[in-house]
Amino acid sequence: MSTPTPTPSAASSARASEDRSARIAVTIFPALILLAAAIGFFLPDVGQSLAPFTSIYLGVIMFAMGLTLTIPDFSLVARRPLPVLIGVVAQYVIMPLVGLGVTILLQLPPELAVGVILVGCAPGGTSSNVITYLAKADTALSVTMTSISTLLAPLLTPLLTLWLAGSYLPVDAGSMAMSIVQMVLIPVVGGLVVRLLLGGLVARILPALPWISVAGISLVVIAVVSGSTEAIMSAGALVLVAVVLHNGLGYLLGYWAARLLRQGERAARTTSIEVGMQNSGLAATLAASAFSPAAALPAAIFSIWHNLSGAMLAMYYRRTADKHQVDPT
């Protein structure tokens, strides 16, 4: 028995409900992540009880991301290949190299250096799509960039981490690739297939998906922070400086990479957000499992900061959209 296809009005209503839920989630997301960090820091036993299941939390987040995807999201690659290519290449060139540059500039110790570089080698963050929507940039382009960079992560994230961070700590690229396949690729594809088969049912639960992602990342942060309390006490301020530099340069260089390659204002703003916002939940989980809880600290802090900075950037982009003749999404 086939699932009935939602009528246009029902689909529009579901999309509006999803957008409202996403806006609320991204607004209070930083506060929830800060609360999660506080729980992990002051109640480390709670965090350590959650730590063995971080890969499961990430898998749930990625499955939820897959449920939001549709085949037309990928058709943009054929219709507008250049902006998608620019965004994905910038994602995997700018952020890894900036991460390496920040570690050298700040002379970070090996575990923290690997953590910062791993954040840079991660694919685009799922919250970048909501930030793009709020910024009146190109949401469809953002979704496509995030999807493609995520699908490429099993290959590019381990290779780039090995290349850039291998001099700091040993990197098992093969094991990391397999972990990304299990925690990211399979859940995302699974979610996409479920959306194809049960589109009507999934449409009804779309508004809940941002909250599932928020809950999953919060649990990852609690687990990571609980295992790195000593690193926070000794180097928390230094890591925050590294994260702010990494994220800010990602926004700036992502924007200008697109502009220098003759992309329009909306595409440049989208690339800026996509490049600057990373899948910090993946980076934290990989760092904790492949290296140490201290190596996961940069990703945990990045998770807090990039949502704060992304919300501020979206506010600026939205307020200047008319000035730059940016059409609303």
Side-chain angles (χ1 to χ4, degrees):
M1 180 176 177
S2 61
T3 304
T5 302
T7 63
S9 59
S12 299
S13 177
R15 174 61 67 182
S17 179
E18 179 190 359
D19 289 341
R20 283 195 300 272
S21 180
R23 286 198 297 272
I24 296 170
V26 82
T27 300
I28 70 169
F29 187 27
L32 293 176
I33 297 299
L34 283 170
L35 176 61
I39 292 172
F41 186 80
F42 292 108
L43 300 171
D45 290 342
V46 173
Q48 286 304 288
S49 68
L50 298 173
F53 308 104
T54 52
S55 60
I56 296 175
Y57 308 145
L58 183 66
V60 171
I61 295 167
M62 292 295 99
F63 180 74
M65 175 187 172
L67 289 176
T68 67
L69 300 178
T70 61
I71 295 301
D73 292 331
F74 297 93
S75 66
L76 197 64
V77 178
R79 291 187 285 110
R80 296 171 58 198
L82 185 56
V84 175
L85 180 64
I86 290 170
V88 173
V89 171
Q91 175 74 55
Y92 282 117
V93 172
I94 290 174
M95 289 304 276
L97 293 179
V98 170
L100 176 63
V102 167
T103 63
I104 294 172
L105 176 66
L106 298 179
Q107 294 294 294
L108 296 179
E111 286 184 325
L112 297 179
V114 168
V116 170
I117 292 170
L118 184 51
V119 170
C121 297
T126 54
S127 55
S128 64
N129 307 148
V130 180
I131 295 298
T132 299
Y133 171 80
L134 297 176
K136 289 188 175 182
D138 193 331
T139 307
L141 178 59
S142 175
V143 170
T144 303
M145 287 178 178
T146 303
S147 304
I148 299 300
S149 69
T150 299
L151 294 176
L152 290 173
L155 174 64
L156 294 182
T157 297
L159 288 178
L160 289 169
T161 304
L162 175 63
W163 178 42
L164 298 175
S167 60
Y168 290 97
L169 290 175
V171 177
D172 187 343
S175 176
M176 188 179 292
M178 185 56 64
S179 295
I180 298 174
V181 168
Q182 294 170 346
M183 295 186 297
V184 176
L185 188 61
I186 292 175
V188 168
V189 173
L192 177 60
V193 171
V194 170
R195 178 74 180 268
L196 285 172
L197 297 177
L198 303 171
L201 176 62
V202 172
R204 297 188 188 98
I205 65 170
L206 283 176
L209 297 183
W211 296 103
I212 292 174
S213 297
V214 168
I217 294 177
S218 296
L219 291 172
V220 170
V221 168
I222 292 173
V224 168
V225 170
S226 69
S228 51
T229 53
E230 292 183 7
I232 293 172
M233 294 293 290
S234 62
L238 183 62
V239 174
L240 178 59
V241 171
V243 164
V244 171
L245 283 174
H246 197 182
N247 174 238
L249 287 171
Y251 290 143
L252 183 65
L253 295 177
Y255 176 86
W256 283 108
R259 292 300 281 165
L260 290 173
L261 291 171
R262 300 186 177 183
Q263 297 303 296
E265 184 68 20
R266 283 184 73 206
R269 291 181 174 207
T270 304
T271 305
S272 167
I273 295 168
E274 194 65 30
V275 171
M277 302 189 73
Q278 300 293 91
N279 191 331
S280 49
L282 172 61
T285 304
L286 288 175
S289 60
F291 303 108
S292 69
L297 180 59
I301 295 179
F302 199 100
S303 183
I304 300 167
W305 174 253
H306 82 154
N307 284 284
L308 286 168
S309 65
M312 290 186 288
L313 184 63
M315 187 182 303
Y316 168 75
Y317 278 164
R318 192 176 187 88
R319 288 180 176 177
T320 59
D322 293 336
K323 177 182 176 182
H324 291 277
Q325 296 182 334
V326 178
D327 295 329
T329 53

